[in-house]
Amino acid sequence: MSDSSPVSQTAPPRLHFRVPPEPSHLLRARDRIRDYLRQYCAERQVINDVVLCIEEAATNAVRHSGSEQDIEMSLRFKDGDLVAEVRDWGRGFDVAGFDREALPDVSSEHGRGLFLISRLCDGMELWRDGGLEVRMVKKAVEPREAVAPRSGLSGLRAPG
């Protein structure tokens, strides 16, 4: 018996863009990521988790990298997974020293971003190579056929 719902045989296009390492640019980046995910992902919780994780990684880059070069962000569907990457060109940190199991100090003003990412994603990898790359994976997220974004103009009539 076959399922009658349309299933895309090709993966959605990869979303890839750069933003200046300034807090004022992160809001628009978050909106762009959310728009992409709403178009290709049906699961609201996955969308919320991935947006939060990318925002945390990008905020870390803005606050700690020290680089003036743009931060790179990308999203793609690959082999049934949703893969998100955030890369900066700053000083990074000792990625081997990050303990995924250690609870962050709740009284500290920082230090919770990577912990949150490691808990909300099915996989997280850190690379330090001329900066820091954070790769996050949500497993078993099949893309859906693209949904046209809502414009808010559908109820307007043309003059005449």
Side-chain angles (χ1 to χ4, degrees), residues 34-93:
R34 188 175 296 280
D35 289 346
Y36 172 86
L37 289 170
R38 282 181 178 157
Q39 188 172 8
Y40 297 111
C41 183
E43 299 177 53
R44 173 179 265 160
Q45 190 61 52
V46 169
I47 294 170
N48 291 337
D49 288 353
V50 171
V51 169
L52 177 61
C53 289
I54 293 173
E55 186 175 26
E56 286 294 331
T59 298
N60 283 346
V62 168
R63 289 185 180 165
H64 306 294
S65 80
S67 176
E68 293 183 16
Q69 293 182 22
D70 288 351
I71 299 166
E72 293 182 37
M73 298 183 197
S74 70
L75 275 168
R76 61 192 160 97
F77 289 86
K78 182 179 179 187
D79 301 327
D81 298 338
L82 177 58
V83 180
E85 297 164 321
V86 175
R87 180 177 179 94
D88 69 68
W89 304 98
R91 60 183 158 264
F93 67 95

Side-chain angles (χ1 to χ4, degrees), residues 6-155:
V7 176
S8 175
Q9 296 301 318
T10 60
R14 176 179 176 227
L15 174 67
H16 182 260
F17 62 97
R18 297 169 187 241
V19 295
E22 300 166 14
S24 62
H25 292 274
L26 294 184
L27 178 61
R28 179 61 195 124
R30 182 180 63 203
D31 290 343
R32 190 171 182 186
I33 292 161
R34 188 175 296 280
D35 289 346
Y36 172 86
L37 289 170
R38 282 181 178 157
Q39 188 172 8
Y40 297 111
C41 183
E43 299 177 53
R44 173 179 265 160
Q45 190 61 52
V46 169
I47 294 170
N48 291 337
D49 288 353
V50 171
V51 169
L52 177 61
C53 289
I54 293 173
E55 186 175 26
E56 286 294 331
T59 298
N60 283 346
V62 168
R63 289 185 180 165
H64 306 294
S65 80
S67 176
E68 293 183 16
Q69 293 182 22
D70 288 351
I71 299 166
E72 293 182 37
M73 298 183 197
S74 70
L75 275 168
R76 61 192 160 97
F77 289 86
K78 182 179 179 187
D79 301 327
D81 298 338
L82 177 58
V83 180
E85 297 164 321
V86 175
R87 180 177 179 94
D88 69 68
W89 304 98
R91 60 183 158 264
F93 67 95
D94 178 17
V95 297
F98 173 65
D99 182 357
R100 298 170 200 268
E101 300 304 317
L103 293 175
D105 180 358
V106 294
S107 64
S108 177
E109 293 182 19
H110 58 82
R112 291 179 288 279
L114 291 176
F115 176 80
L116 286 172
I117 294 168
S118 71
R119 292 299 192 257
L120 292 174
C121 289
D122 298 310
M124 179 183 79
E125 299 174 21
L126 304 171
W127 286 282
R128 185 174 173 213
D129 183 24
L132 180 66
E133 181 176 342
V134 181
R135 182 175 295 158
M136 302 153 271
V137 177
K138 288 290 265 187
K139 293 193 176 291
V141 180
E142 290 293 332
R144 67 177 178 188
E145 290 289 333
V147 175
R150 290 185 257 173
S151 70
L153 301 176
S154 59

